Structure formats: structure tokens, C-alpha cells
Amino acid sequence: MLSISSQASAQVAWDEVFNKFKIEARADAEYTNRTTTIDGNAFGDPGHLYGIHGRYFNLHLGGNLGENFSYYFRQRIKAEAGTVNFFDNTDFLYLNYRPTQNWQLRFGKDAMAIGGFEYDAPPIDVYYETNMWDNFYCFQLAASAAYITDDGRQTMMLQVSQSPYTNFYGLNWDAGLFAYNLYWAGAIGDHVKTLWGISMMERERGKFMNFISLGTQATFGDMNFYVDLMHHALSTDDWGKNYGIVSRWNYNLSNEWTLFIKGSYEQNKSEVDLDNAGVSMDFLMPLAGHSYARYGAGFEYRPKGMASVRIHGYVAEMTDSYTNTLNQDVTENSLNVNLGATWTMDVMKLFKK
């Protein structure tokens, strides 16, 4: 970091090289009540779990290097080491080059450009998530080129990244599996935004999973909501069997209080399930025959004059339904009650003061 700033000092000021420098954290107190029914009858004793746990501890760095180059770095600070390569716990570590107002080139560790508003949100801002979101190895080494319209309202991106199947199968970085992503982040009129993407993710050389995500958000005054439609297929005759929908509605009561409702439904009804070795080929929803429903409501509170502190709470029901090997209908329910806090320590603001 010191080397970079020294080399760039003749071109940009110190506060440009480090125009973003902050640490953020989140901790939750949570109660979970788990129940299971088989053919409508209760099975086993309810599981009551509760406690306080840390969820995220992130370091952010970013700035300009001069000559239209910039960088961004976000590291999740964890006690355990990574499992696949050196950058496992690094979400972002990329070099960005914008030669003109309309073109942008990027290389490094980045989020796969697949679309969807739940997916696009920083993980620290996601409270109860879809099963797909939870399984997605989305931060990959990648290269991308984007075209941005003159008004900045439309962005088209083509990205080539390491395939998430590298992580899913525990392969080395040199396995030679890639993902190809086409992405549109746009605006329609004054109220609607889009995050649409289509991807081909290599699961073995020459064989792909197709993934489509159509995220649409609408904002009207103090209310906004999004709907993400997701579909993935392992082969040409696998269409219409694996899909998901997730939506969140937000209402800003004031500058301090926000109420939200969120729900989702997902299913994996694929007949293309296991490879020749008996391993699932679907990293997004590895358990064929399952369907998942999640829904709940909650709030966010930001104390007046303290934008760096957020209190949240929610109650959510999560259901996993499937048919077991005895041809019995099984439903696993999880009732979650959560109260937590997120806080940000903006080091750059302290330096400016």
C-alpha cells in the first residue's frame, strides 16, 4: 500500500489514493425453533437454539491511482484460513481502468456479474437470504469490459470469471473452468431500475450450467421494492424445473425507521441431478427434489445523526419440503427471531477531521 501511494504521489494526493478506508462489523442475537413433520405428523423434539454471534467484520480500502486507474479492496476478516486459494476471504481486490466516460475495464477479484438485487446487496445488509444466495460462490477472479451511456443510466458488461464450480468441487485454481456473464444494470424512466444477467458457468470442461437472473426494482416516494426472478438449468431439457423468486418491500417511516417484508420461493425439481461419481451437479441447490419457502418482516433503525450505526430486527419462517427415500413427505420448519447491530468506523472521516 505504501509503495502504491509513493508511486502515485506525483499524480494524485494522499486522500485520493485512499478516498475509502473503513471497517464495518455486524453482530446478531438470534433464537431459532426447529420442527420436523413427516406426512403431517410431528417428528422428534423441537430444537431450540439461541445465542449471540458475530456475522461480519470487513475492511474496505479504495481510491484513485491516477491516469484513469482506481482500485477497490474489501476483506472479510476471519479467524480461519481460506480453503481454495490465497484470495478466499477477499471479496474484492480489483484494478479499474476507465479510459473514457463510456468504457470501463476491470481485472481482479470481483463479484460475478449475474444480476439480481438480493445478490447485488452487500452481504452485511442481507438478513435472511435465499438458498441460492447462501450457496453461491460469487466472488471470483475475473476480467470485464463495460460500456456506460453518456447519462450514466445504462451499463452493459461482459465478464469472464473463474467458475464457481472450482470452489464447489474443491478444485485447484488451474482446473481451467470459467464462467461467461452478460449483464445489464439500467434505468427505465424515473422509478424503475434493472439488474439483469445471463451466465454460462462451466461445471466441467465443455459442460455448463445456464443461469438467468432478472432483478427489477421500483421506487415511489418513501416506498421501494424489488423482485428477482432466477432460473438455472444443467442441460437443454432441464428448463422450467429449477427456479426461484425473491422480493423485498421497504417503507421509510422517517429518516430513522424503515419497515420491510421479504419473501422467497425456490425449487430444484431437476431430473439431471448427480454425475457419474454420485456428486450433485447443481451448486446453487444441491439437493434435488427440495423446495424452499422463506418469508418474514422486520425493521431497521438508524439513530438520529448516526448514519454509521444501524439496529435491525426481524421474525422469519423458513421451510424446506421434500420427499424422502421412503416416499414420505417431509417438512422442516425453522422460526427465526433476530435482533442485531451493524456499525461502521470510517477512518477517512477521522483523518479529514
Side-chain angles (χ1 to χ4, degrees):
M1 288 163 49
L2 292 175
S3 174
I4 291 173
S5 64
S6 174
Q7 295 169 15
S9 61
Q11 301 165 331
V12 291
W14 171 269
D15 59 353
E16 283 295 305
V17 175
F18 295 103
N19 59 28
K20 181 187 291 292
F21 183 8
K22 67 179 182 179
I23 300 171
E24 62 183 3
R26 174 179 150 194
D28 293 5
E30 192 162 16
Y31 166 79
T32 302
N33 179 20
R34 294 177 178 172
T35 59
T36 301
T37 61
I38 298 179
D39 287 338
N41 300 312
F43 177 80
D45 296 324
H48 300 280
L49 305 173
Y50 49 88
I52 302 173
H53 61 130
R55 292 295 302 271
Y56 296 97
F57 185 28
N58 302 328
L59 169 66
H60 297 253
L61 287 175
N64 299 317
L65 301 175
E67 302 298 330
N68 301 317
F69 283 93
S70 62
Y71 73 97
Y72 178 55
F73 170 55
R74 188 176 81 194
Q75 178 76 20
R76 297 194 200 190
I77 302 172
K78 295 184 175 182
E80 72 270 14
T83 57
V84 175
N85 57 49
F86 180 74
F87 293 128
D88 261 13
N89 296 333
T90 303
D91 292 344
F92 297 99
L93 180 57
Y94 60 71
L95 182 67
N96 203 68
Y97 177 54
R98 193 154 179 183
T100 70
Q101 178 183 353
N102 301 109
W103 287 98
Q104 174 181 278
L105 305 175
R106 181 178 293 174
F107 176 75
K109 189 74 179 287
D110 201 356
M112 291 178 62
I114 64 166
F117 282 88
E118 182 193 51
Y119 171 86
D120 190 63
I124 200 170
D125 295 337
V126 178
Y127 300 128
Y128 54 95
E129 65 282 347
T130 58
N131 192 68
M132 292 185 190
W133 186 97
D134 209 28
N135 286 322
F136 209 121
Y137 299 95
C138 64
F139 298 109
Q140 300 289 346
L141 289 166
S144 64
Y147 176 77
I148 305 162
T149 57
D150 290 339
D151 60 7
R153 288 166 53 85
Q154 315 292 335
T155 298
M156 294 293 297
M157 179 184 293
L158 178 63
Q159 182 193 65
V160 179
S161 72
Q162 189 177 52
S163 172
Y165 277 94
T166 304
N167 304 74
F168 182 62
Y169 287 137
L171 304 176
N172 291 325
W173 63 270
D174 56 358
L177 302 182
F178 296 96
Y180 306 90
N181 311 304
L182 183 62
Y183 173 78
W184 171 42
I188 302 174
D190 296 328
H191 302 286
V192 178
K193 294 182 178 180
T194 62
L195 294 176
W196 290 10
I198 181 169
S199 305
M200 297 295 292
M201 305 175 190
E202 204 167 18
R203 51 188 175 85
E204 58 181 277
R205 293 189 181 183
K207 296 183 180 180
F208 295 85
M209 171 193 279
N210 170 258
F211 183 76
I212 299 172
S213 180
L214 305 178
T216 305
Q217 182 187 67
T219 302
F220 300 95
D222 294 325
M223 180 187 70
N224 70 80
F225 66 91
Y226 69 74
V227 178
D228 293 344
L229 304 175
M230 301 164 287
H231 181 275
H232 57 288
L234 293 165
S235 64
T236 55
D237 60 354
D238 199 35
W239 282 75
K241 299 172 183 176
N242 300 345
Y243 62 83
I245 179 172
V246 56
S247 181
R248 173 168 162 162
W249 173 88
N250 303 291
Y251 183 74
N252 298 319
L253 291 174
S254 65
N255 292 332
E256 291 81 33
W257 288 93
T258 299
L259 303 179
F260 69 86
I261 299 173
K262 183 179 179 182
S264 65
Y265 174 80
E266 308 161 86
Q267 71 170 37
N268 177 351
K269 302 296 184 179
S270 176
E271 296 176 7
V272 181
D273 183 17
L274 305 178
D275 61 18
N276 293 330
V279 179
S280 173
M281 293 187 290
D282 189 340
F283 79 94
L284 289 170
M285 296 181 67
L287 300 177
H290 287 242
S291 61
Y292 303 88
R294 301 184 179 188
Y295 50 89
F299 72 89
E300 295 178 338
Y301 171 68
R302 293 172 173 81
K304 189 173 183 179
M306 297 181 64
S308 60
V309 175
R310 180 186 67 199
I311 308 298
H312 73 264
Y314 68 81
V315 178
E317 179 83 10
M318 305 177 186
T319 302
D320 176 11
S321 301
Y322 59 95
T323 301
N324 64 17
T325 55
L326 300 177
N327 203 32
Q328 297 170 314
D329 293 327
V330 181
T331 301
E332 298 177 359
N333 287 300
S334 175
L335 175 66
N336 288 60
V337 180
N338 184 291
L339 182 65
T342 304
W343 60 99
T344 303
M345 296 143 276
D346 196 326
V347 180
M348 285 308 302
K349 283 187 177 180
L350 295 176
F351 281 140
K352 290 177 181 179
K353 289 180 179 180

